[in-house]
Amino acid sequence: MSDRPTVHENQIAEARNVLGEVIARARFAGEPTVLINRKKKAGAIVSYEDFATLWELRSYLEELQETAGPDAAHKARIIDEALAIAKRRALDSS
């Protein structure tokens, strides 16, 4: 059994009609919704907790990249590559 939440997909117009439900799924069930516009993924609605975590990770990566020293730059590259791989996997699986 997987611990990963269900990821929903909705056309933007459809999501607009049931926005309260989409937000509740993200907020209370931890289930994001990918918004589709003209057959392309245009955005996502996620819980604030998920957004805050991703924002913090992004800030951490930027801080590492700005820190002087080869060790910090190396760590930043490793994290950046890991995030790029995770992003590709997420896009491929949906």
Side-chain angles (χ1 to χ4, degrees):
M1 187 156 124
S2 175
D3 289 340
R4 296 188 71 164
T6 301
V7 176
H8 303 273
E9 288 190 4
N10 284 102
Q11 294 292 325
I12 291 175
E14 180 185 340
R16 186 182 303 125
N17 292 334
V18 292
L19 186 58
E21 180 183 322
V22 171
I23 292 171
R25 278 195 313 239
R27 183 177 180 195
F28 299 114
E31 298 177 352
T33 298
V34 176
L35 302 173
I36 309 295
N37 186 27
R38 298 183 180 159
K39 300 182 182 179
K40 292 185 180 182
K41 295 174 182 173
I45 296 178
V46 298
S47 69
Y48 182 77
E49 181 181 319
D50 288 349
F51 167 77
T53 300
L54 291 170
W55 194 260
E56 184 66 28
L57 286 171
R58 182 178 179 176
S59 297
Y60 177 70
L61 177 61
E62 288 172 355
E63 184 180 322
L64 269 177
Q65 289 172 334
E66 292 171 1
T67 303
D71 190 45
H74 178 69
K75 288 177 184 176
R77 271 195 310 279
I78 290 171
I79 293 170
D80 193 35
E81 290 171 11
L83 291 173
I85 290 168
K87 181 179 178 180
R88 279 195 304 272
R89 286 182 182 167
L91 292 174
D92 290 343
S93 67
S94 57

